[in-house]
Amino acid sequence: MNLKTETSGGSVIVFVKEERLDAHNSGDLKTEMNRLFEGGSINLIIDLKEVRFIDSSGLGVLVSGFKNASTRHGTIKLSAMQTQVKSMFELTRLHRVFDIYATVDDALES
Amino acid sequence: MKNDIVLEITIPNQTCYLSLVGKIGESMAKELDRYDGDREELASRINTVLTEALVNAIKHANVTDPTKEILVRINISGKELAIRVFDNGQGFDLNRVPDPCFDSDILNENGRGLFIIRSLMDSVVYKKANGGNVLEMKKSLR
């Protein structure tokens, strides 16, 4: 999976540079988030700008990240969701769980 | 029947084929001129349903055995879309799959796939077929 990570202020931004976040590749995102958590980063922003498609496995990995961040008294924010991805969050009601922002900058400024 | 479309795809029991099958389903929906609704939305729905059904077959029915195969049959007849995903595993009980969207379960990491399929299609049945099982999902195209 193509992921790009940047640090800004007290947050680490993980850019998911894939068209799909699904059962085939979402395990890589989970591994990267766990690596960041174990390295002491507790405030993550997951940028989904390039993700056009997400399935239940992708959603599950983000839920895993949410729980991991919460356990460590950190945060996980999501940015730049495309319409189809947002509709999956709404269908599963996960939009009520996550802090969702239009852009990475909005997430950083919040 | 004239104008019926039947598309059959057989893939190995591996998640690396999810994108391929999802995109085939999407492309078919975008070309479906008999559908008067939003074809982009239908394409997205078919991509999602195919992906979730395949993952279900790969991981739960065929228990991630890479030597097994999955047959996908997409049938458009008149104003009805039917997607059938055949596995040759031990299967599962569709009625015992919980709804993960209740507040008490919303932080479950698994179990949303069948809920998503049920939400996006008109009917969903899982039954014995061809020595294995089939997940049969139908949607009206009216």
Side-chain angles (χ1 to χ4, degrees):
Chain A
M1 174 177 239
N2 191 0
L3 299 170
K4 186 177 144 202
T5 303
E6 282 180 17
T7 301
S8 180
S11 298
V12 177
I13 310 163
V14 180
F15 295 91
V16 181
K17 314 283 277 182
E18 297 282 346
E19 186 181 293
R20 288 173 63 100
L21 182 57
D22 63 15
H24 182 59
N25 61 9
S26 56
D28 293 347
L29 176 60
K30 186 173 187 174
T31 301
E32 176 65 3
M33 287 193 296
N34 287 343
R35 188 187 69 79
L36 291 167
F37 287 132
E38 283 160 18
S41 302
I42 58 168
N43 297 315
L44 304 188
I45 298 170
I46 311 297
D47 185 79
L48 299 170
K49 186 177 181 179
E50 294 190 24
V51 178
R52 192 175 66 83
F53 178 91
I54 190 167
D55 72 356
S56 60
S57 302
L59 294 171
V61 162
L62 293 171
V63 169
S64 166
F66 176 86
K67 291 197 291 189
N68 215 332
S70 299
T71 301
R72 296 162 195 266
H73 304 290
T75 60
I76 185 162
K77 300 173 182 175
L78 307 178
S79 64
M81 277 187 196
Q82 295 192 30
T83 307
Q84 187 179 345
V85 173
K86 195 169 186 182
S87 72
M88 288 291 282
F89 275 80
E90 290 168 351
L91 180 66
T92 55
R93 302 181 205 170
L94 285 170
H95 65 299
R96 300 190 307 187
V97 171
F98 287 93
D99 291 325
I100 298 169
Y101 298 89
T103 66
V104 170
D105 288 342
D106 288 349
L108 282 168
E109 288 167 12
S110 66
Chain B
M1 187 187 288
K2 199 176 174 185
N3 286 332
D4 280 8
I5 298 172
V6 180
L7 194 62
E8 284 196 355
I9 310 159
T10 302
I11 58 162
N13 193 56
Q14 296 168 35
T15 55
C16 58
Y17 297 99
L18 295 176
S19 175
L20 171 67
V21 178
K23 282 177 181 169
I24 290 171
E26 249 188 356
S27 299
M28 186 203 66
K30 287 178 182 173
E31 299 295 325
L32 204 59
D33 55 10
R34 75 184 69 177
Y35 182 56
D36 297 328
D38 182 344
R39 273 188 255 166
E40 288 290 332
E41 193 276 335
L42 179 67
S44 163
R45 187 179 291 239
I46 290 175
N47 190 353
T48 298
V49 166
L50 281 168
T51 299
E52 297 294 352
L54 285 173
V55 171
N56 197 62
I58 291 167
K59 291 194 171 176
H60 302 302
N62 284 351
V63 209
T64 323
D65 179 348
T67 64
K68 291 186 172 171
E69 288 184 331
I70 295 171
L71 168 66
V72 181
R73 183 180 297 141
I74 304 172
N75 192 329
I76 297 168
S77 181
K79 288 284 189 179
E80 184 181 74
L81 162 70
I83 299 174
R84 295 178 178 86
V85 176
F86 296 81
D87 65 71
N88 43 20
Q90 295 194 348
F92 59 91
D93 184 352
L94 187 63
N95 294 318
R96 297 186 68 177
V97 179
D99 178 348
C101 295
F102 289 118
D103 286 346
S104 58
D105 298 327
I106 202 158
L107 291 181
N108 284 355
E109 292 171 34
N110 302 303
R112 290 183 179 82
L114 284 167
F115 166 80
I116 289 169
I117 292 171
R118 282 172 162 153
S119 301
L120 297 180
M121 302 297 279
D122 297 335
S123 73
V124 181
V125 176
Y126 188 67
K127 59 188 180 186
K128 297 281 180 196
N130 301 350
N133 310 281
V134 59
L135 184 63
E136 182 179 273
M137 302 157 285
K138 292 183 177 175
K139 178 170 171 44
S140 168
L141 296 176
R142 292 182 194 282

